[in-house]
Amino acid sequence: MMFDLSGTAALVTGANSGIGQAVALALAAAGADIATVGRSAADATGAQVQALGRRWLDVHADLSTTASVPGAVATALETFGTIDILVNNAGIIRRADAIDMTEADWDAVQNTNLKALFFLTQAVARPMLARGSGKIINIASMLSFQGGVRVPGYTAAKSGVAGLTRALANEWAAHGVNVNAIAPGYIATANTAALQADPTRSRQIVERIPAGRWGRPADIGGAAVFLASPAADYINGHVLAVDGGWLAR
Ligand code: NAP
């Protein structure tokens, strides 16, 4: 029963596609009701959540600003009563040589990947801290550990996500709220479409992955269930790589 999420409610951002969708479905399969929060409707995810016998709520929120954060959290709390699990997954990437990166692209990446993540976490954590339990999972990146190439804003934001994971864990661990992160390796989603479409880059990436293949969104689901479950009650401030061994090279 260590990984059983029955009776819990999870809020997952950016769950209409890719990693967020796979994480939402894994949490639902483990027993959690799901609130999908994002700028695009998550109907396909919701249909699968309901097919698993769980409740589903879709909340529209554009996380490029913090404006919709209070309303989104209030709606989820009204429907489910509590939010036991928060997965901060929504994120964007903007590629440019560092010398050419515009301020608009820099701000767009920080606002979605870091600022909205922090203030959504703050809003969800308030009731978690008041009742003394909760699981918060941030989606970090290999670029929480490495510099990357032509994505300086993304590297800065994802390195910030790793730092924030540790900072929040330090404040909230003693109050029963676990804050951890998952750092996916190279996963085949819209986020990495440009890399997948470049045969040279794609070959170079796969050659460096000990598992010998791109990751799939579903590869992230098990780590999310683990960190959301009682099995992770004594894990705080950890950034768990799910990368087919990329960082081990
Ligand atoms: P994805 O399919 O593009 O998913 C990104 C999600 O974020 C989508 O649901 C997207 O919604 C949502 N989103 C973006 N901007 C938003 C906004 N302003 N407001 C609300 N939602 C917004 O790509 P993914 O690879 O699954 O990415 C999910 C997370 O994993 C991201 O944080 C990404 O940085 C991280 N990650 C991915 C990889 C990888 O290899 N794929 C590796 C490490 C980390 P829309 O559909 O409306 O755009």
Side-chain angles (χ1 to χ4, degrees):
M1 302 305 280
M2 222 180 219
F3 304 102
D4 184 11
L5 302 181
S6 299
T8 66
L11 190 163
V12 185
T13 66
N16 60 308
S17 66
I19 292 169
Q21 180 179 60
V23 165
L25 296 178
L27 296 177
D33 294 328
I34 303 292
T36 50
V37 174
R39 64 183 173 185
S40 303
D43 294 357
T45 309
Q48 293 178 74
V49 167
Q50 289 173 324
L52 288 163
R54 311 295 168 229
R55 292 188 296 166
W56 167 58
L57 170 73
D58 200 28
V59 185
H60 182 264
D62 179 352
L63 297 172
S64 63
T65 77
T66 56
S68 53
V69 164
V73 174
T75 304
L77 285 171
E78 272 164 30
T79 302
F80 291 140
T82 62
I83 301 169
D84 304 284
I85 300 156
L86 168 65
V87 182
N88 283 307
N89 166 78
I92 58 171
I93 193 162
R94 296 282 165 87
R95 297 177 194 282
D97 290 344
I99 204 73
D100 296 325
M101 169 138 279
T102 64
E103 188 172 348
D105 275 352
W106 175 272
D107 285 347
V109 172
Q110 308 314 317
N111 285 342
T112 302
N113 295 15
L114 196 52
K115 184 175 179 182
L117 178 150
F118 175 74
F119 286 101
L120 178 63
T121 301
Q122 187 187 60
V124 172
R126 259 189 208 107
M128 286 181 170
L129 292 166
R131 70 166 188 275
S133 70
K135 297 281 198 282
I136 296 170
I137 302 166
N138 297 322
I139 301 300
S141 167
M142 292 295 95
L143 303 191
S144 302
F145 302 97
Q146 302 176 310
V149 181
R150 302 189 70 247
V151 286
Y154 185 83
T155 302
K158 291 296 187 180
S159 297
V161 168
L164 204 49
T165 298
R166 292 185 281 266
L168 298 178
N170 289 341
E171 290 199 37
W172 297 345
H175 302 284
V177 176
N178 298 74
V179 187
N180 291 293
I182 296 170
Y186 285 81
I187 313 295
T189 69
N191 175 291
T192 50
L195 295 179
Q196 295 168 65
D198 180 334
T200 307
R201 286 285 283 131
S202 182
R203 179 181 48 75
Q204 289 168 340
I205 287 166
V206 171
E207 279 173 358
R208 221 209 104 143
I209 299 172
R213 63 167 175 86
W214 278 78
R216 305 174 190 110
D219 288 322
I220 308 301
V225 170
F226 167 53
L227 290 176
S229 76
D233 278 354
Y234 198 59
I235 299 179
N236 302 90
H238 186 68
V239 184
L240 176 59
V242 181
D243 63 351
W246 172 275
L247 287 179
R249 283 292 280 269

